[in-house]
């Protein structure tokens, strides 16, 4: 539990220390089991018809103890189960919807059996939860207040009825395929709601890979889904991270899995586990129970071989260095009107706050003192600014805000690196302006993205 203190600053420091300890513990665990088991397991589709009958889910030999034994045989330290995937089917005894496992022939709480089985074997328990929910029409353009309440009520059940949950992996949020933004379903609100229910639960957004690898934007752990083309830098990563991959060809069980080769145990160990662990990254290998609720024999054998190979190569623990705490607040500068000193036509100011970290505003080298500013729709409070500079093109700059027609400087110390995060006492303004100091006459500044936030500090 977090200590209760009266000093807000002290409280923030204690909370950050606690988070850092949780992140370090996750990195030290090194290896875990992802368990994709839900409605898609019963059809050869990862995204089935969201209106499939609840009784379609019918594992006749479900045994979560077998899952836990398999995880132990591979040397894993935790499991993570898909409590609800994108089609909205809940495999726990929920009061929020009729579309759940208690209305199937099984009529057993799978989440309960999973957490009990894994804890019995000394394994940590994590859960997966999808924000995208096509059965309940929780999708882009259709989200309303009842949907936010549904998310909170479901998370409250999962985080109050099943004991300590060490991490929650969230999916279907701010991804190109889900198109649900962090504003439409408010990330900061949900993030702190989770922390209120379980302060020691890490929040891992599986879709945060579009953000730079050098900072934790909207997640406690930087996530890399290999099947989606997201790959960690084994040489340069310094963030607490996870990388996930299915043992088979896809996440949910398919009818050809028992007779199709799984990924090579040698490749899993030598090309994933060992190098990822050296890069502060825990590897999560997905294993898909079949329609009986059991892991196939070929997967069981592969897990045993992984455990045998890895036991000989497992190295020491990697101690995390210093890095900024996660950014979870809404970016109020995103897509706002922007202005700047002269820039090239192809790299104008609009690229500096378009929520695309691959594009950038470029200053024209003929300008002696380049500047960039963003304007809000009204005077707003804020206490943090991030500057993303993938080219590391500037390290000398000043930041001002406009209040009542007067520019005021924010006392920040300029930083080097690709991500420059500045936290300061709250100010109010309707514009933010960054003025750059050039080191030489032909120097050009690049600003990939500016973020302005009013983060909670309790």
């Amino acid at each position: 539990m977090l200590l209760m203190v009266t000093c807000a600053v002290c409280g923030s420091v204690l909370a950050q220390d606690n988070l850092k300890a949780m992140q370090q513990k996750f990195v030290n665990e090194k290896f875990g089991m992802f368990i994709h088991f839900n409605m898609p397991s019963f059809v050869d589709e990862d995204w089935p018809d969201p209106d499939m009958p609840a009784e379609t889910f019918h594992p006749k030999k479900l045994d979560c103890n077998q899952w836990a034994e398999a995880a132990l045989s591979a040397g894993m330290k935790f499991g993570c189960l898909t409590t609800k995937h994108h089609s909205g089917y809940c495999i726990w005894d929920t009061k929020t919807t009729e579309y759940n496992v208690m209305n199937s022939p099984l009529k057993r709480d799978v989440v309960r059996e999973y957490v009990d089985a894994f804890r019995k074997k000394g394994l940590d328990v994590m859960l997966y939860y999808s924000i995208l929910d096509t059965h309940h029409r929780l999708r882009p353009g259709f989200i309303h207040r009842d949907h936010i309440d549904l998310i909170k009520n479901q998370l409250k059940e999962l985080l109050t009825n099943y004991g300590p949950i060490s991490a929650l992996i969230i999916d279907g949020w701010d991804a190109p395929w889900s198109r649900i933004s962090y504003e439409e379903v408010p990330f900061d609100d949900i993030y702190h709601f989770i922390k209120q229910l379980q302060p020691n639960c890490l929040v891992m957004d599986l879709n945060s890979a579009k953000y730079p690898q050098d900072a934790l934007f909207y997640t406690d752990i930087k996530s890399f889904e290999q099947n989606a083309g997201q790959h960690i830098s084994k040489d340069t990563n310094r963030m607490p991270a996870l990388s996930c991959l299915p043992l088979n060809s896809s996440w949910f069980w398919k009818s050809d899995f028992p007779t199709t080769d799984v990924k090579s145990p040698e490749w899993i160990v030598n090309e994933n586990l060992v190098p990822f662990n050296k890069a502060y990254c825990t590897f999560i290998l997905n294993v898909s129970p079949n329609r009986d609720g059991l892991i196939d024999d070929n997967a069981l054998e592969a897990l045993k071989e992984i455990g045998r190979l890895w036991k000989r190569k497992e190295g020491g623990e990697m101690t995390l260095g210093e890095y900024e705490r996660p950014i979870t607040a809404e970016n109020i500068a995103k897509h706002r009107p922007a202005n700047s000193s002269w820039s090239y036509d192809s790299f104008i100011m609009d690229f500096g706050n378009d929520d695309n970290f691959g594009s950038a505003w470029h200053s024209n080298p003929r300008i002696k003192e380049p500047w960039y500013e963003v304007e809000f729709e009204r005077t707003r409070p804020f206490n943090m600014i991030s500057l993303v500079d993938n080219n590391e093109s500037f390290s000398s700059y000043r930041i001002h805000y406009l209040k009542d027609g007067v520019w005021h400087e924010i006392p920040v110390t300029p930083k080097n690196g690709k991500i420059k995060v500045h936290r300061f006492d709250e100010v109010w303004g309707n514009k933010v302006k960054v003025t750059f100091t050039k080191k030489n006459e032909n120097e050009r500044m690049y600003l990939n993205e500016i973020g302005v936030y009013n983060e909670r500090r309790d």
Side-chain angles (χ1 to χ4, degrees), residues 161-190:
N161 296 337
Y162 299 94
I165 305 299
S166 60
L168 185 69
I169 293 182
I170 298 183
D171 200 4
W173 214 350
D174 198 44
W177 47 267
S178 72
R179 306 184 312 282
I180 297 175
S181 73
Y182 288 144
E183 291 76 42
E184 204 170 6
V185 174
F187 183 92
D188 197 52
D189 189 22
I190 302 297

Side-chain angles (χ1 to χ4, degrees), residues 196-424:
Q196 289 167 6
L197 293 171
Q198 290 213 26
N200 294 323
C201 178
L202 291 166
V203 178
M204 310 180 190
D205 186 0
L206 203 55
N207 304 115
S208 63
K210 83 172 187 184
Y211 294 92
Q213 294 190 19
D214 302 79
L216 295 172
F217 286 89
Y218 305 102
T219 188
D220 289 335
I221 301 292
K222 191 68 180 170
S223 303
F224 299 88
E225 184 181 336
Q226 292 191 54
N227 269 21
Q230 302 163 6
H231 299 287
I232 189 171
S233 170
K234 299 174 185 177
D235 298 322
T236 62
N237 179 67
R238 295 295 179 268
M239 299 289 109
L242 74 85
S243 180
C244 57
L245 186 72
L247 180 61
N248 298 90
S249 59
S250 57
W251 295 103
F252 285 98
W253 189 85
K254 301 292 183 291
S255 54
D256 67 342
F257 277 12
T259 57
T260 303
D261 289 341
V262 299
K263 292 181 175 66
S264 159
E266 290 81 5
W267 182 81
I268 290 290
V269 172
N270 296 329
E271 300 301 323
N272 291 270
L273 257 176
V274 172
F276 288 169
N277 290 167
K278 292 178 180 178
Y280 310 96
C281 179
T282 286
F283 182 56
I284 308 182
L285 181 65
N286 184 72
V287 182
S288 312
N290 60 32
R291 289 173 190 166
D292 281 331
L294 299 173
I295 298 172
D296 291 329
D297 289 342
N298 58 347
L300 291 174
E301 288 303 313
L303 291 171
K304 290 178 184 177
E305 180 63 8
I306 288 169
R308 187 186 70 81
L309 293 171
W310 189 46
K311 190 173 183 179
R312 295 198 311 236
K313 297 187 178 185
E314 185 176 358
E317 296 178 350
M318 297 292 293
T319 302
L320 290 164
E322 294 301 316
Y323 49 87
E324 292 284 347
R325 63 181 181 270
I327 294 173
T328 66
E330 176 185 349
N331 178 9
I332 64 174
K334 185 168 72 172
H335 300 310
R336 295 301 307 165
N339 200 6
S340 74
S341 56
W342 184 20
S343 58
Y344 287 105
D345 290 345
S346 299
F347 307 102
I348 60 174
M349 66 288 297
D350 297 350
F351 293 111
N353 67 336
D354 60 356
D355 199 36
N356 181 346
F357 292 83
S359 64
W361 164 76
H362 295 198
S363 70
N364 191 298
R366 297 187 185 185
I367 299 297
K368 292 183 179 180
E369 192 175 59
W371 56 269
Y372 183 98
E373 72 178 27
V374 60
E375 181 176 356
F376 312 127
E377 74 280 12
R378 64 182 187 278
T379 299
R380 302 284 300 267
F382 50 94
N383 55 15
M384 177 172 55
I385 291 174
S386 66
L387 304 174
V388 178
D389 170 25
N390 290 339
N391 292 80
E392 299 187 54
S393 62
F394 60 87
S395 59
S396 181
Y397 51 92
R398 291 170 293 133
I399 303 176
H400 292 79
Y401 66 97
L402 186 67
K403 180 181 180 182
D404 299 328
V406 179
W407 287 104
H408 303 270
E409 186 166 1
I410 300 173
V412 301
T413 301
K415 296 182 178 181
N416 296 309
K418 295 181 180 180
I419 315 294
K420 312 167 205 301
V421 178
H422 297 286
R423 289 177 161 96
F424 45 85

Side-chain angles (χ1 to χ4, degrees), residues 35-79:
I35 307 163
H36 274 63
F37 184 61
N38 205 285
M39 189 65 83
S41 304
F42 294 84
V43 292
D44 281 344
E45 299 281 348
D46 277 0
W47 288 42
D49 182 346
D51 295 319
M52 285 179 63
E55 55 266 26
T56 306
F57 187 88
H58 190 194
K60 296 178 181 179
K61 300 178 182 179
L62 177 69
D63 185 3
C64 296
N65 292 296
Q66 186 222 31
W67 305 355
E69 288 283 1
L72 281 179
S73 75
M76 295 167 169
K77 298 297 176 62
F78 63 87

